[in-house]
Amino acid sequence: MNRELVQEYYGEILQSSADLKTSACCDGGGVPTAYRPLLAKLHPDVIAKYYGCGVAVPTALSGASVLDLGSGSGRDSYMISQLVGADGRVVGVDMTDAQLATATEHLDWHMERFGYAEPNVRFLKGYIETLGELPLEPGSFDVIVSNCVINLSVDKPAVLKGAHDLLKEGGELYFADVYCDRRLPDDVRKDPLLYGECLGGALYWGDFLEMAKRAGFRDPRLVASRPLDVEDAAMAEKLGSARFYSATYRLFKLPQLEASCEDYGQAVIYRGGVPEEPDVFVLDDHHAIERGKVFPVCGNTWHMLKETRFAPVFEFIGDFSNHYGLFEGCGSGIPFSSGGVSAGGDEPGCC
Ligand SMILES: C[S@@+](CC[C@H](N)C(=O)[O-])C[C@H]1O[C@@H](n2cnc3c(N)ncnc32)[C@H](O)[C@@H]1O
């Protein structure tokens, strides 16, 4: 499938999320309660051309530098602009002129509304497969987000590798995308409408997990997932019994992570302090960590909390001096086997 087709779909064929034929590239704007005031401050044109499939906005972003891959009309970039504050920065990258035009047209409007003297957001035209060609410093981003974009990419391993290169150590790729419970046959993969609707290019989850590990993200963590509806009868017939899910993963750039979750008898205590999660810190669908409670963790989870921006809000108990075998309880990372939880506790709705 080629990029021109995707550009045409998102730049010309779709005028708003109402034109989409499935719930794959539209989560109906379901955002966690904590983020609703941020959404209320966005320009209606930016909201109308939102084609995301999940929540791709992690917590604890104050002061962070964030890159948004396939930023589209800028909805997530402008939400994150409010979270990172005047000391943070957001860069959105997209290849489609019409989407970039909507995002940039309203830049000054948003900066004024957010009360920033200097813009903390900029948008660049470019391909997410060749991030190294853009004026972006390797190892300079705390967080990379993306919402329903990587499934559309012609070279997904290159996207993951490029993201890994641009992240600081301890940074994370936090992104929502569409996955399938099987490898799709060629006629489905090559169908322009299914591809544009974020189904034809969806990865089989097993291939995605393998690809993420090969790009250097050793322990992918599933944050939330939901099944997708294909209501269009003709499309559903072409897809047969394949099942699709929208899933949000977080992939930490931490070279010290092990291939499996190992038990060193460690634990953490959430002290509180993440504004969006005063009582319960959600790392992933198997780690909802209540404030003040001793919470046993594997060595990898320990690193994900200790060597990242989350360290100041945790107490750490134990070390790596004794090993007690395999740690059960971190989940398989497979959307199809778990209900998932959304950061902030709200289930995204469908359009
Ligand atoms: C489904 S839309 C999602 C847009 C945005 N993330 C949102 O949530 O509204 C996909 C976007 O990714 C962009 N895109 C797809 N493939 C791309 C690529 N290879 N390089 C850059 N942008 C790409 C498209 O132009 C489009 O704006």
Side-chain angles (χ1 to χ4, degrees):
M1 206 47 62
N2 59 42
R3 287 166 168 161
E4 289 71 29
L5 184 139
V6 174
Q7 281 168 315
E8 188 193 351
Y9 203 69
Y10 287 96
E12 291 162 40
I13 296 175
L14 298 181
Q15 290 307 310
S16 81
S17 50
D19 298 332
L20 289 161
K21 301 211 165 8
T22 71
S23 65
C25 280
C26 176
D27 72 356
V31 293
T33 316
Y35 293 154
R36 288 198 189 136
L38 312 178
L39 205 54
K41 287 195 176 167
L42 302 194
H43 196 283
D45 292 354
V46 164
I47 303 269
K49 289 179 187 286
Y50 166 67
Y51 305 127
C53 57
V55 180
V57 180
T59 60
L61 288 180
S62 179
S65 55
V66 181
L67 175 64
D68 183 359
L69 302 181
S71 43
S73 65
R75 190 196 83 151
D76 288 351
S77 294
Y78 285 126
M79 283 200 350
I80 293 168
S81 156
Q82 298 171 71
L83 291 169
V84 299
D87 295 334
R89 67 172 176 137
V90 185
V91 182
V93 172
D94 205 287
M95 66 177 183
T96 303
D97 288 327
Q99 289 280 77
L100 284 164
T102 303
T104 48
E105 193 184 329
H106 302 297
L107 182 62
D108 293 344
W109 186 90
H110 283 107
M111 294 304 104
E112 198 178 319
R113 205 166 157 87
F114 302 161
Y116 296 144
E118 295 291 325
N120 69 353
V121 184
R122 68 193 168 114
F123 294 98
L124 298 176
K125 182 168 180 176
Y127 297 114
I128 59 171
E129 295 84 0
T130 49
L131 291 168
E133 292 176 8
L134 293 171
L136 302 170
E137 189 68 25
S140 68
F141 287 94
D142 298 293
V143 175
I144 299 182
V145 299
S146 186
N147 199 341
C148 217
V149 178
I150 297 175
N151 72 84
L152 295 166
S153 170
V154 291
D155 187 353
K156 295 166 177 68
V159 178
L160 295 177
K161 169 80 173 59
H164 193 268
D165 290 346
L166 288 175
L167 282 171
K168 293 177 185 170
E169 224 165 85
E172 64 168 324
L173 171 57
Y174 187 103
F175 72 111
D177 211 346
V178 178
Y179 299 90
C180 189
D181 67 348
R182 64 199 65 195
R183 295 180 183 136
L184 292 165
D186 259 12
D187 60 322
V188 171
R189 303 193 72 80
K190 291 187 178 149
D191 183 293
L193 183 59
L194 292 175
Y195 202 88
E197 288 279 328
C198 298
L199 298 171
L203 280 174
Y204 164 54
W205 64 264
D207 290 341
F208 160 69
L209 291 176
E210 213 25 62
M211 203 180 275
K213 288 173 192 169
R214 258 185 270 128
F217 298 110
R218 298 201 72 193
D219 186 358
R221 294 292 176 97
L222 177 67
V223 179
S225 64
R226 69 183 167 97
L228 297 175
D229 304 320
V230 181
E231 278 150 13
D232 182 282
M235 287 171 77
E237 196 184 327
K238 276 187 204 160
L239 292 168
S241 49
R243 294 283 163 266
F244 294 85
Y245 277 70
S246 161
T248 300
Y249 280 96
R250 72 190 324 162
L251 311 180
F252 287 96
K253 178 175 176 174
L254 288 166
Q256 57 273 59
L257 295 184
E258 298 187 80
S260 53
C261 292
E262 300 293 340
D263 186 355
Y264 297 93
Q266 297 156 301
V268 297
I269 302 173
Y270 177 44
R271 291 192 184 119
V274 173
E276 305 90 343
E277 301 179 294
D279 301 317
V280 183
F281 175 94
V282 177
L283 177 70
D284 58 41
D285 71 338
H286 280 69
H287 296 83
I289 306 176
E290 281 187 69
R291 181 162 48 86
K293 189 172 174 184
V294 177
F295 192 99
V297 292
C298 72
N300 281 357
T301 298
W302 169 280
H303 288 305
M304 288 174 197
L305 299 174
K306 191 144 190 347
E307 326 294 345
T308 64
R309 67 189 190 283
F310 304 125
V313 297
F314 280 93
E315 271 171 51
F316 296 88
I317 302 167
D319 53 34
F320 284 86
S321 54
N322 292 303
H323 181 230
Y324 302 96
L326 206 59
F327 186 95
E328 306 280 354
C330 288
S332 61
I334 305 169
F336 314 98
S337 66
S338 126
V341 291
S342 303
D346 294 9
E347 280 301 310
C350 291
C351 45

